[in-house]
Amino acid sequence: MDLTTFFGRKHESDFIMFTAPHFLALAAAAGLCLLLFAARFALRTRPLLRNQVRWLLIIVLLASEGGLHAWYLSHDIWSSRHSLPLELCGITLLLSAVMLLTRSRLLYSFLYFAGIGGACIALLTPNLVYPFPHIRFLLFFTAHAAIVLSSLFMTWAYGFRPTWRSLLFTMLCLNLTAVIVFALDKLLGANYMFLAHKPATFSVLDYFGPYPYYLLVEEGFALVIFLVMFLIFFKLPERVRSRNASRSTNL
């Protein structure tokens, strides 16, 4: 394989969503989530395995971010206008590594919603131009899958759980983060978190109207996604378990 196909700055074709490479990347990410879920009991009862997986995730997160910056620097295109980890997924990637290192419940309460929700949207509608097998393609899907896996790992291996309070905490943190990043965008002439305009590639923001109205719609969309994540994966199962327990007691 030509090295430029894997590592070069120029590329003959662009990444296209919902083609075979995209579906394969999504299937690989979903498969890892299912594997982690299947191993949840082993992770809870085997501290050595739990620590090994925790450190593996930390290494993957940091290596994927470091690999991206190494690529920028190798092509002499690193710039404060587009290379800083100030996108939502860049922020949640670094915070996920810190969460895994410290086993912080506070960071988990934010990352379960913002990390998983943001990374899943990015996986489905990538802001990406480099196709498979370019390193940017591989780093993108590796990094975003690792963000999702990190919060799922803390859920299944350590028994962490989000709450209504953590959902509100996440929305507050997201708005505070947006204010800070907006100020940095103005200072740097950048468009981190797409606060100045929509991305050039297709994204879910294309359905949310023109600037600046899509920012308000995006906030409502995020709240709905977080509510669904909380209700379907936690509150509904708790309700079912409670109802089944009541029936068993009555019998």
Side-chain angles (χ1 to χ4, degrees):
M1 179 174 57
D2 186 358
L3 186 60
T4 57
T5 302
F6 177 74
F7 198 78
R9 181 179 176 183
K10 295 182 179 180
H11 49 102
E12 295 182 357
S13 60
D14 289 345
F15 168 81
I16 301 175
M17 286 193 303
F18 307 129
T19 54
H22 188 194
F23 282 125
L24 287 173
L26 292 175
L32 288 171
C33 291
L34 291 173
L35 180 62
L36 191 65
F37 178 74
R40 65 194 185 282
F41 297 117
L43 290 169
R44 290 177 188 173
T45 57
R46 296 168 60 183
L48 178 60
L49 176 63
R50 186 168 61 235
N51 275 330
Q52 288 172 336
V53 175
R54 183 167 65 92
W55 279 103
L56 177 61
L57 285 170
I58 292 169
I59 291 169
V60 170
L61 287 165
L62 297 180
S64 60
E65 182 67 17
L68 177 61
H69 289 279
W71 185 85
Y72 284 140
L73 291 169
S74 70
H75 292 286
D76 196 28
I77 57 173
W78 195 98
S79 168
S80 60
R81 294 184 61 189
H82 63 74
S83 306
L84 294 172
L86 292 177
E87 301 291 359
L88 177 60
C89 288
I91 294 168
T92 57
L93 183 150
L94 295 177
L95 290 179
S96 292
V98 175
M99 173 188 68
L100 291 166
L101 278 168
T102 61
R103 286 162 282 189
S104 169
R105 289 183 179 273
L106 182 64
L107 285 176
Y108 169 83
S109 67
F110 171 73
L111 290 169
Y112 173 78
F113 294 111
I116 295 178
C120 284
I121 294 298
L123 286 168
L124 289 170
T125 59
N127 180 29
L128 182 68
V129 295
Y130 291 91
F132 179 84
H134 197 277
I135 191 171
R136 288 289 303 275
F137 177 100
L138 300 175
L139 288 173
F140 180 93
F141 284 98
T142 298
H144 288 83
I147 293 170
V148 175
L149 289 166
S150 295
S151 290
L152 293 180
F153 171 79
M154 298 306 293
T155 302
W156 293 330
Y158 286 94
F160 286 11
R161 293 288 186 274
T163 63
W164 287 111
R165 183 177 296 179
S166 60
L167 194 157
L168 296 175
F169 174 70
T170 299
M171 293 303 298
L172 176 63
C173 288
L174 281 177
N175 281 279
L176 179 60
T177 300
V179 169
I180 295 171
V181 172
F182 180 78
L184 291 171
D185 280 347
K186 291 295 185 182
L187 180 65
L188 299 171
N191 186 34
Y192 292 113
M193 291 182 66
F194 308 122
L195 296 175
H197 56 80
K198 296 178 184 180
T201 57
F202 173 80
S203 76
V204 70
L205 299 181
D206 291 332
Y207 297 107
F208 293 171
Y211 180 87
Y213 304 109
Y214 74 81
L215 298 174
L216 297 175
V217 179
E218 183 181 21
E219 180 144 348
F221 178 74
L223 180 58
V224 170
I225 292 295
F226 298 162
L227 280 170
V228 169
M229 289 171 61
F230 185 50
L231 293 174
I232 290 181
F233 295 108
F234 288 95
K235 300 308 290 184
L236 183 60
E238 286 177 5
R239 180 73 61 86
V240 171
R241 285 194 295 268
S242 177
R243 186 173 299 174
N244 290 339
S246 298
R247 289 176 180 174
S248 299
T249 302
N250 291 334
L251 291 175

